[in-house]
Amino acid sequence: LVQASDPESFKLVLRAYYKDGNASNELTLTIDNRWGFFIRDVRRIARVTGKPIGTETFPNPNNTARNWNVGGTDLGIVWEMEPQQYGIFFGDTFGQDFVPNAANPGPNGSSWRSNVLAFSTDKALEDGLTFSSMATDNYGDAREIIYGGKDQSGNGNLTSIPSAAIRANGVDYVHYFNIKNWTGWITNYSGLYKSVDNGLTWASCD
């Protein structure tokens, strides 16, 4: 934390150090105590999921729409499974025909899955996050790990959203909540799933 020229401001200098001793480039954030915390000069360096939109020119290393039928998704719950092996849980996911709609950002596209799971060994994130694989079904598409009912009536099992994940004693756990209605975030229940084979298969912790 460095005092800026303005006495009401500070500069927060961030740098990540990797296990191999290498360091990332510095990122400087300006904190203005008069107005709160603002992040400026943010740029996109790579796409993580989906297809390029419009005139995008930054890299798309995973090509998830083509490779795993993931055209649009959300969240991105990351945890370390083993040294240099990471899992990334995503929430509601749609197929390669997904098209973003800012006016109606809910379900949009085919192949709706409540959640999907990617794996990565990427430690150098300056050029984006690259997946090594995803948990797939028999067709090679990213498969739903935690069942979501897709009942859009507002009174049933709508979807199951991962919210945190961790490895403990060699077992991977993911916490999730099951949504009844997004209006008011009304939930049916929450729970845990676990995997004892490095994320290949999962079962409910009943």
Side-chain angles (χ1 to χ4, degrees), residues 1-4 9-17 23-31 37-38:
L1 194 63
V2 180
Q3 181 74 54
S9 299
F10 293 87
K11 288 188 180 296
L12 184 63
V13 181
L14 303 175
R15 174 179 285 176
Y17 290 90
S24 69
N25 296 328
E26 284 189 354
L27 173 65
T28 302
L29 307 178
T30 299
I31 303 172
F37 189 84
F38 295 91

Side-chain angles (χ1 to χ4, degrees), residues 27 45 148 201:
L27 173 65
I45 58 173
T201 61

